[in-house]
C-alpha cells in the first residue's frame, strides 16, 4: 500500500476505550495495525474521521513500509524457513499485554519484539508457561517490552482490570462471556460459584441480573471487587471471598434461604461441587457446568455426572444442551452443559 491512509491519534492509556468506540462507530480499519505515534500516543487506523469518538487528532500516515504479518517481521530479522515453521501461529492481546506460547520457538525475544511492532498499543509480551493449582494460577515470563503485567482489557463493553502474572484470563472464552451476558433476564438471581475477576459475573450483571459472586483466591477477589465498581454494577453484585460450598451452606441455614434461578460453575472440576450447586438452584432453574473432557467421552461423561448428582439430591434433569467452548489440549475439549433441573 503506497497511498496515504487515515489514523486517529489517542493517548496510549485510552487505546482500548477508543478502539471499542471506533469499532462501534464503524470507522475502525481492521486491515491495518495500530502503531506508535509519539511518546505516550498511538495511531489507530480509521476509514473515515470519527464523529463520536474523542481523539487528539486525525492524521494521514503512509502505509508502504508497514509489515503486516509476524512472518514478515521475522523475515526482516533474518529468520529462515525452518525457524519460521516453529514460530507461534497465534497469540492474544489482553489490554496492553500480548500473550503468546513460545515453547518450541527459536529466539523468543525476537518474536516478542516483532509482536510489539505489530501491536503499537501493547507495551509487554508474556510467554505463557501454563496454569496450575486449585486457584488456576498462571506462570508467565516477560520476553519483550516494559514488563508491566497489570492491564485493563475491554470486550463487548465490559472492562476487566487484572494482573496477568497473578490471575488467569482465557481469550478463548470471549464468546462465552458475551453469551452469558445475553441469556440472563433482567432481575434474575444468579450464583457464580467461581467468579474469578468477574469473567462471567460482570457481563451477567451488565445484562441486568443480580449476581452473588464467590471467589476464594484473594488476588482474584480484589480484582473482582475493583471490576464490579469499575463497571458500575455494585447495586447488582454481592461478593464473597470464601469457598462457594460454605456460602451455599450458610444460605441454606439462613432464616430467609436463598434460591437461585441460575447457577454458573466456570471451573474445570465443577462436577465436584454439583451437590452444593443443586442445593442453591431453585426448581426449574438452569445450571451451567464447565468441564475439560476427553473428546472421546463426549457427551456422556459430563452429562452422566450431572444426572448422577441430580439423582443423589432427588432432582431431575429435564433438558440439557452441551456446547464446546474451545480445545483445551490435545484430544480434550472445554465444554459447558446448560441444564434445566426440576
Amino acid at each position: 500500500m503506497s497511498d496515504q491512509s487515515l489514523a486517529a491519534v489517542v493517548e496510549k492509556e485510552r487505546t482500548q476505550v477508543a478502539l471499542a468506540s471506533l469499532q462501534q462507530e464503524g470507522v475502525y480499519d481492521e486491515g491495518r495495525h495500530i502503531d506508535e505515534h509519539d511518546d505516550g500516543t498511538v495511531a489507530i487506523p480509521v476509514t473515515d474521521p470519527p464523529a463520536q469518538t474523542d481523539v487528539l487528532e486525525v492524521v494521514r500516515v503512509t502505509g508502504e513500509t508497514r509489515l503486516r504479518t509476524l512472518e514478515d517481521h521475522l523475515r526482516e530479522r533474518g529468520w529462515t524457513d525452518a525457524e519460521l515453521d516453529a514460530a507461534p501461529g497465534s497469540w492474544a492481546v489482553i489490554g496492553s499485554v500480548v500473550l503468546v506460547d513460545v515453547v518450541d520457538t527459536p529466539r523468543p525475544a525476537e518474536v516478542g519484539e516483532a509482536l510489539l511492532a505489530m501491536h503499537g498499543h501493547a507495551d509487554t509480551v508474556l510467554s505463557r508457561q501454563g496454569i496450575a493449582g486449585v486457584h488456576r494460577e498462571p506462570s508467565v515470563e516477560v520476553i519483550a517490552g516494559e514488563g508491566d503485567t497489570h492491564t485493563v482489557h475491554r470486550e463487548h463493553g465490559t472492562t476487566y482490570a487484572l494482573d496477568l502474572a497473578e490471575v488467569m484470563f482465557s481469550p478463548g472464552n470471549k464468546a462465552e462471556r458475551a453469551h452469558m451476558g445475553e441469556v440472563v433476564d433482567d432481575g434474575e438471581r444468579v450464583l457464580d460459584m467461581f467468579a474469578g475477576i468477574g469473567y462471567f459475573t460482570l457481563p451477567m450483571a451488565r445484562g441486568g441480573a443480580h449476581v452473588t459472586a464467590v471467589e476464594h483466591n484473594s488476588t482474584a477477589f480484589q480484582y473482582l471487587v475493583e471490576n464490579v465498581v469499575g463497571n458500575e454494577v455494585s447495586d447488582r453484585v454481592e461478593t464473597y471471598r470464601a469457598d462457594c460450598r460454605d456460602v451455599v451452606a450458610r444460605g441454606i441455614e439462613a432464616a430467609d434461604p436463598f434460591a437461585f434461578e441460575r447457577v454458573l460453575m466456570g471451573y474445570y472440576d465443577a462436577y465436584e461441587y454439583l451437590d452444593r450447586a443443586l442445593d442453591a438452584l431453585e426448581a426449574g432453574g438452569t445450571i451451567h457446568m464447565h468441564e475439560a473432557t476427553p473428546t472421546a467421552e463426549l457427551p456422556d461423561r459430563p452429562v452422566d455426572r450431572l444426572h448422577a448428582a441430580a439423582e443423589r439430591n432427588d432432582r431431575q434433569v429435564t433438558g440439557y444442551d452441551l456446547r464446546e467452548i474451545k480445545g483445551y489440549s490435545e484430544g480434550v475439549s472445554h465444554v459447558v452443559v446448560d441444564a434445566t433441573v426440576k
Side-chain angles (χ1 to χ4, degrees):
M1 183 172 62
S2 59
D3 58 327
Q4 290 189 322
S5 303
L6 297 178
V9 179
V10 301
E11 297 93 342
K12 194 168 187 177
E13 60 268 20
R14 290 194 62 250
T15 302
Q16 293 301 309
V17 174
L19 178 58
S21 178
L22 292 168
Q23 289 173 324
Q24 185 173 3
E25 196 174 334
V27 297
Y28 172 57
D29 186 352
E30 296 183 353
R32 295 185 287 139
H33 294 304
I34 300 173
D35 291 324
E36 296 277 0
H37 184 64
D38 291 320
D39 288 343
T41 65
V42 297
I44 304 178
V46 293
T47 55
D48 294 292
Q52 302 166 19
T53 305
D54 184 21
V55 302
L56 296 175
E57 60 178 329
V58 176
V59 298
R60 291 192 177 275
V61 295
T62 301
E64 58 185 357
T65 60
R66 178 166 295 133
L67 300 173
R68 298 179 61 82
T69 68
L70 179 61
E71 180 178 335
D72 291 334
H73 283 269
L74 295 178
R75 283 194 186 278
E76 284 284 308
R77 289 167 166 78
W79 281 47
T80 66
D81 288 342
E83 289 175 323
L84 289 171
D85 287 341
S90 63
W91 53 89
V93 183
I94 309 298
S96 59
V97 178
V98 181
L99 288 176
V100 62
D101 296 323
V102 292
V103 177
D104 299 317
T105 302
R107 294 183 271 168
E110 291 188 13
V111 173
E113 293 298 334
L115 290 172
L116 288 179
M118 293 175 63
H119 301 283
H121 65 292
D123 57 31
T124 297
V125 181
L126 296 179
S127 167
R128 292 183 287 203
Q129 319 243 314
I131 304 290
V134 176
H135 291 153
R136 306 287 295 160
E137 295 170 330
S139 174
V140 297
E141 179 184 356
V142 177
I143 60 172
E146 298 177 4
D148 185 2
T149 57
H150 181 274
T151 190
V152 177
H153 176 66
R154 185 178 177 87
E155 64 180 39
H156 301 297
T158 301
T159 300
Y160 299 90
L162 71 158
D163 187 332
L164 288 162
E166 298 289 340
V167 297
M168 65 165 288
F169 191 90
S170 177
N173 292 354
K174 180 178 180 179
E176 183 66 11
R177 289 188 286 270
H179 171 71
M180 291 310 300
E182 295 167 354
V183 298
V184 294
D185 294 323
D186 190 42
E188 186 175 37
R189 302 182 309 280
V190 180
L191 172 64
D192 187 351
M193 296 179 70
F194 309 95
I197 65 169
Y199 311 108
F200 300 111
T201 287
L202 298 173
M204 290 190 295
R206 293 185 67 247
H210 289 272
V211 186
T212 297
V214 187
E215 174 54 42
H216 196 259
N217 182 299
S218 58
T219 302
F221 181 79
Q222 290 173 3
Y223 281 110
L224 170 64
V225 173
E226 177 181 340
N227 289 328
V228 166
V229 174
N231 284 273
E232 299 181 347
V233 290
S234 299
D235 59 328
R236 293 194 294 278
V237 179
E238 186 176 11
T239 58
Y240 290 86
R241 181 180 173 262
D243 186 306
C244 56
R245 292 166 293 195
D246 295 337
V247 173
V248 172
R250 288 198 298 269
I252 293 171
E253 295 166 358
D256 183 19
F258 53 54
F260 296 95
E261 297 163 85
R262 192 180 300 272
V263 174
L264 176 63
M265 308 178 74
Y267 177 54
Y268 288 139
D269 293 323
Y271 70 93
E272 296 179 352
Y273 298 76
L274 274 170
D275 290 333
R276 277 309 189 198
L278 292 170
D279 285 340
L281 186 70
E282 72 175 21
T286 302
I287 193 165
H288 305 273
M289 186 187 78
H290 289 236
E291 182 172 304
T293 308
T295 307
E297 297 186 43
L298 290 175
D300 294 343
R301 192 176 84 170
V303 173
D304 288 349
R305 283 172 167 171
L306 187 56
H307 278 289
E311 185 175 345
R312 284 196 306 272
N313 291 273
D314 295 324
R315 306 290 290 270
Q316 182 181 356
V317 177
T318 58
Y320 75 88
D321 178 46
L322 185 144
R323 294 177 293 111
E324 183 173 0
I325 304 303
K326 64 181 186 297
Y328 175 73
S329 61
E330 185 68 29
V332 179
S333 296
H334 172 188
V335 300
V336 180
V337 181
D338 304 321
T340 303
V341 184
K342 74 175 184 179

